[in-house]
Amino acid sequence: MPSDSALRIVWIYPDLLSTYGDQGNVLVLEQRAQRRGIPTETYHVRSADPVPEGGDVYLIGGGEDRPQILAAQRLRRDGGLHRAVARGAALLAVCAGYQIMGTTFGGEEGQPVEGLGILDIASSRGPARAVGELVAEVDVALNLPTLTGFENHMGVTHLGPGVKALSKTVVGVGNGDGFEGCYAGHVVGTYLHGPALARNPALADLLLSWRVGELPPLDDSRYEALRQERLAAVLPA
Amino acid sequence: MTQLPLRAQLASALGRSAATLSRMTGRGDGSVIGGRVGLLLEPDLLRKLARDRKLALVSATNGKTTTTRLITSALLELGEVATNAFGANMPAGHVSALSQHKSAPYGVLEVDEKYLPEVLDTTGAGVVCLMNLSRDQMDRAGEIWLLAQKWRRALSGRPTHVIANCDDPLVTWGASTAAQVTWVAGGQRWKEDSWCCPECGGPLDRKDAAWACRECTFHRPEPHWVLHDDVVVDPRGRQWRVDIQLPGLANRSNAVMALAVAEAFGLPVERALPRLGQVTSVAGRYTTVERDGRYARLLLAKNPAGWLEAFDVADPGLPIILSVNAQGPDGRDTSWLWDVDYRILRGRPVFVTGERRLDLALRLDVADVPFTLCASFGEALAMQPPGRLDVIANYTAFQQIRSEFGRAE
Ligand SMILES: [Zn+2]
């Protein structure tokens, strides 16, 4: 049984939705909690197993079309993630994981597939694959520095009135309408795939702070060096 | 060999001169440009060059170049072999390889995973060797379930003899529509891309080497060849020590695949195995470069599965330099660094360089692996005491080191 003081990180379906470095988000959250003296317990929940509803921060990653559809079916049947979000748990949903949080998304042949309805968004297949570095300015209400990361997807996502855009794209495609990602309550969705939190430690801290309150600063020089290099590489001089 | 039609002869000859020109002007080994020129003049050139030869196609995400080399080495026992030795693994490279050995009765072609259906269709190759499928350069390569699906369609309804690694569930699924399959238990070190059944998406249960889907009938086929560490048991139950010079378990697995392919060409183990032992380095892999008494052994690792193989070969008692780039051939996305478990490097002197060293630096920091950041490979090498060390680099980082530092003899 988990101890009461530990922060519980739940990685959903690494067997289906973990194509490329998604583990990075787990590791960054663990590191940033532990370096502040907060113990962590991490659960890798395979798709055959029930999703525990008592977690603090949930992560779900990217994947191919078929695994994405399977993951959506199983999560809807399971219901654990819905209950966790209703309890106020934080959730970071990335790429394919982002799309399935909506009401529908595009399947292998572009057919609409029913999502989880946790976010008020609807996704479909875009005209072309969006691949490359992405830079975006975060909604001022969240008070976060510029988002930086890599996107690799074919989705177009329409935001409904129940969510706010996470950021406005400067470089890259994101949702496909000039904005990237969205958020509502303690749920954040983004097309920044793989280790999005490694490039955006402030976003990791936001997820943590939703569960544990205000956090003391860390020495972020390694993160900052990488951020500055990537931003300089893709932003027009 | 039957004569090529005049147009194909001309295209093939012009392609060869373009390749020579490209080599002379220092633009690489010329195999791609030569093949492109040839294909431009005669789009059907590959089909024509492949006709009347006995061909093996080799595909996987890891070990293609090495296995192609091992098979070639074995088949030389039978006669002349045409092969794309430099890893130019798309149709232009195949045209170039076959053009350069026009009378060779045998051909061994390394094929990019995505191009396998097309190349199989064009060449009608009789033998296909499939080793593994794992995440690899996803910004430019295809998605791997989709790739395996395309292999299935390409192999279905053909007389092709497939040699496949049945320890990899996705490869097994990709190969199992073929008319004839020789299953090789070659091992699977990287399992993160095969926890689910490719047939139905259900969970795969594993016990030792065996695996089976919990929800449908898909399971590991009974292997014909089984590798246990450094001993292989052949289909007749005879045991052979896999005595090769290339290091590591992954290469012994590649060698067993090569033995099974050789047998499909009628070459028995006793004649093939000694030839595999003659291969010491493949396109610079495992060679040692030297400067001022520092002997650095070069290991290539292009994706997470490749890093696991490199860690298996690297000497834990030696310092290690890691170099990572993200140019086109490497994939421009470094996300995969987060899939590699670097904790095995704790306790070794670790040096980090390459164009994307800051990505790797953060990755190691989060893994609690102490390291020294270096602006260049030369700087990292100069920081070493005289003696031996290991280097793991991804594709273009590896090539940069090779071109800057001579081979130590
Ligand atoms: Zn199944």
Side-chain angles (χ1 to χ4, degrees), chain B residues 85-230:
Chain B
F86 296 97
N89 59 20
M90 294 180 228
H94 303 141
V95 163
S96 165
L98 297 178
S99 290
Q100 282 162 20
H101 295 270
K102 280 173 71 171
S103 56
Y106 303 99
V108 184
L109 299 178
E110 168 183 341
V111 185
D112 179 277
E113 305 86 278
K114 249 191 322 205
Y115 282 85
L116 184 68
E118 178 189 327
V119 175
L120 179 62
D121 190 52
T122 308
T123 62
V127 175
V128 170
C129 176
L130 304 171
M131 287 102 68
N132 52 69
L133 265 182
S134 70
R135 59 190 73 183
D136 182 44
Q137 299 169 32
M138 305 253 320
D139 60 313
R140 63 186 196 96
E143 300 179 323
I144 54 178
W145 280 29
L146 212 57
L147 269 177
Q149 175 71 50
K150 287 177 180 164
W151 287 6
R152 286 172 69 79
R153 284 195 202 123
L155 290 168
S156 168
R158 282 183 177 281
T160 321
H161 180 177
V162 176
I163 317 295
N165 180 5
C166 63
D167 286 339
D168 186 319
L170 201 50
V171 164
T172 301
W173 189 63
S176 55
T177 53
Q180 186 188 358
V181 189
T182 297
W183 298 110
V184 178
Q188 187 199 32
R189 187 161 283 257
W190 174 263
K191 296 186 174 62
E192 302 306 317
D193 291 309
S194 49
W195 291 113
C196 286
C197 172
E199 178 68 32
C200 77
L204 284 186
D205 292 321
R206 290 173 185 265
K207 187 171 180 295
D208 303 321
W211 51 261
C213 177
R214 204 181 295 168
E215 288 171 12
C216 76
T217 59
F218 188 59
H219 64 279
R220 178 177 181 256
E222 196 56 44
H224 302 94
W225 297 72
V226 181
L227 174 66
H228 301 285
D229 193 27
D230 61 350

Side-chain angles (χ1 to χ4, degrees), chain A residues 75-135:
Chain A
L75 285 171
R76 284 198 308 128
R77 205 167 27 185
D78 179 85
L81 184 61
H82 290 88
R83 291 190 291 274
V85 168
R87 284 178 53 254
L91 166 63
L92 176 68
V94 165
C95 209
Y98 169 39
Q99 294 180 345
I100 68 176
M101 293 306 145
T103 49
T104 67
F105 60 93
E108 293 121 305
E109 314 294 337
Q111 79 278 18
V113 179
E114 189 176 357
L116 306 190
I118 285 176
L119 287 171
D120 181 14
I121 58 171
S123 303
S124 55
R125 277 217 161 184
R129 186 162 274 276
V131 186
E133 290 280 340
L134 188 147
V135 177

